[in-house]
Amino acid sequence: MRLTKFTDLSLRAVMRLAVSRQDEPLTTREVAEAMDVPTAHMAKAISRLRHLGVLETRRGRGGGLGLTELGRHASVGWLVRELEGEDEVVACEGDPPCPLRAACRLRRALRDAQEAFYATLDPLTVTDLVQSPTGPVLVGLGVRRSD
């Protein structure tokens, strides 16, 4: 299974925020620069993650982005499911619809494979993802403000 670029970007943002210092929150622009992606793309990911309750945003001086407790302890499987949506691996009902849809065994097999993929991610938390050696690499990606 292949994740969308949006999900990949969102997961990388969450991982970067998981290792940021709480007394020095990052901005959307800083996370985008650290991940080498356009700020507009990162802003969309940040908005979705905020809507899911995974991160919070604070405005003004000393403001920025921070993970919530849910964000730190969220199951990666849950997070990927939420970011990917309910779409199936194949589009049997597309335009035109697949002529095999009424008697196809592939659709069910792919749905089962998709669920097995998510189930593999279920025991992992965001905190698990940033353990060494990943965490120190993520910290090194940060662009610090010079206020």
Side-chain angles (χ1 to χ4, degrees):
M1 182 171 166
R2 184 176 185 143
L3 298 178
T4 62
K5 288 182 181 182
F6 179 79
T7 298
D8 176 46
L9 176 61
S10 299
L11 290 171
R12 289 189 283 148
V14 167
M15 290 169 64
R16 179 57 186 96
L17 290 168
V19 298
S20 67
R21 291 177 35 183
Q22 290 184 349
D23 64 334
E24 216 172 314
L26 299 174
T27 66
T28 300
R29 180 182 50 79
E30 290 170 328
V31 176
E33 288 174 1
M35 295 294 123
D36 196 25
V37 298
T39 302
H41 294 324
M42 183 59 71
K44 289 176 187 175
I46 295 299
S47 177
R48 178 73 172 121
L49 292 166
R50 183 174 174 265
H51 176 75
L52 290 173
V54 172
L55 60 84
E56 60 188 1
T57 58
R58 293 179 296 278
R59 293 186 180 269
R61 188 160 181 81
L65 307 171
L67 282 186
T68 63
E69 280 303 305
L70 170 64
R72 291 195 184 285
H73 303 292
S75 159
V76 176
W78 170 81
L79 191 52
V80 171
R81 281 181 186 91
E82 293 296 316
L83 294 167
E84 287 290 307
E86 298 294 323
D87 292 341
E88 292 188 46
V89 176
V90 293
C92 301
E93 307 301 327
D95 187 26
C98 176
L100 299 175
R101 72 184 178 280
C104 183
R105 298 179 75 179
L106 178 62
R107 182 179 190 180
R108 179 66 187 172
L110 290 173
R111 188 178 309 132
D112 290 347
Q114 182 180 26
E115 187 50 42
F117 173 80
Y118 291 141
T120 301
L121 298 174
D122 283 338
L124 293 172
T125 67
V126 171
T127 301
D128 294 331
L129 293 179
V130 297
Q131 297 302 310
S132 189
T134 307
V137 172
L138 286 163
V139 171
L141 296 177
V143 177
R144 299 308 323 154
R145 290 181 266 199
S146 53
D147 295 11

